[in-house]
Amino acid sequence: MGVKLRRKMRKKFQYRANSKKKLNEIKRMFNPVIECMPVRKAWNNKKSTPSNMADMGLVFDLDRDVPVQKKNEHTAVKSPKNKRKEKPTEVVQKLEEDVKKRSGKPVEVRLTNAQVEYATTMLDKYGFDYKAMARDPRNYFQDTWKQIRVKIRLFTSNPRYFVPYARERGMLKPENLETQDKEEKIDC
């Protein structure tokens, strides 16, 4: 009796469901959009994701391939079973080259005008006394003194924002100004 009921239940059509949308979701699940070009070129749509990753020399399931080391002193750490040293594939070599290229470039943090204004007013008023900044009425977001310290350090570490501030306040030495002007002329 239960089997007949199940068969009847299956025959119902869902009019609300968008079948095209469901089909596209299934396609995306099996054929993911890969933004990394070396991986995209080596990807084989006829294979599963774990086998594709293994063919490329990459790890699909990190938990299975790299065991977690226990912090207990009495237990010995077991090394992974498959300890074979394989030559890196083309995909791995290209990924490593990309990482080397990117590692040389510093990541530039951009600050909004409001953040720059906040940092300049706080520095003008309190110097580097972060605890006083935390008690200031302009601290609208009620940041703690450590959060304010992070914001001020971001501002002072970025020459794009801090150099004009320091020039206006006369904090830069005249010797440094001449060398910076020369560097700016060379860049243009």
Side-chain angles (χ1 to χ4, degrees):
M1 185 168 164
V3 177
K4 278 186 178 180
L5 187 65
R6 257 188 275 140
R7 283 185 185 158
K8 284 183 182 178
M9 294 290 283
R10 275 192 217 133
K11 289 182 182 178
K12 290 182 181 175
F13 185 77
Q14 294 179 341
Y15 290 99
R16 291 182 189 168
N18 189 346
S19 56
K20 266 190 185 177
K21 192 175 181 181
K22 281 187 178 181
L23 186 66
N24 286 336
E25 285 176 11
I26 291 169
K27 282 182 183 177
R28 255 186 266 120
M29 191 170 64
F30 286 108
N31 300 321
V33 177
I34 302 166
E35 294 180 12
C36 182
M37 284 307 294
V39 175
R40 185 188 297 179
K41 287 179 182 175
W43 194 266
N44 185 357
N45 285 335
K46 294 179 182 176
K47 291 184 179 179
S48 66
T49 305
S51 61
N52 263 320
M53 299 290 269
D55 290 345
M56 288 183 236
L58 302 174
V59 176
F60 176 70
D61 188 8
L62 201 65
D63 294 333
R64 189 190 63 189
D65 292 340
V66 180
V68 178
Q69 295 179 355
K70 295 181 180 178
K71 293 183 180 179
N72 191 353
E73 298 172 7
H74 302 292
T75 57
V77 177
K78 294 180 181 177
S79 59
K81 291 180 182 176
N82 28 351
K83 236 188 172 183
R84 49 194 153 112
K85 290 188 177 180
E86 298 176 1
K87 293 182 180 178
T89 60
E90 291 179 28
V91 176
V92 173
Q93 290 173 350
K94 288 179 183 176
L95 289 173
E96 287 175 352
E97 289 172 13
D98 288 345
V99 168
K100 286 179 185 175
K101 287 179 186 175
R102 290 182 189 170
S103 64
K105 297 178 183 176
V107 178
E108 187 176 318
V109 178
R110 288 187 168 242
L111 301 175
T112 62
N113 292 337
Q115 288 172 325
V116 171
E117 187 179 331
Y118 177 75
T120 55
T121 53
M122 289 296 186
L123 283 172
D124 288 340
K125 195 169 183 181
Y126 300 107
F128 288 96
D129 186 8
Y130 303 113
K131 292 185 179 179
M133 290 180 198
R135 292 188 300 268
D136 189 88
R138 287 193 200 106
N139 184 7
Y140 301 124
F141 298 109
Q142 297 183 351
D143 294 330
T144 62
W145 68 271
K146 288 186 178 182
Q147 290 171 324
I148 293 172
R149 183 179 64 186
V150 169
K151 289 180 181 180
I152 299 294
R153 282 185 181 170
L154 270 174
F155 173 74
T156 55
S157 66
N158 197 332
R160 178 186 208 173
Y161 304 109
F162 188 66
V163 169
Y165 169 78
R167 277 188 185 156
E168 289 175 10
R169 307 309 188 271
M171 296 166 69
L172 290 177
K173 295 178 183 176
E175 303 155 4
N176 294 346
L177 286 173
E178 292 171 8
T179 56
Q180 286 178 350
D181 290 335
K182 289 177 184 176
E183 289 174 4
E184 287 175 6
K185 290 177 184 176
I186 293 169
D187 291 338
C188 296

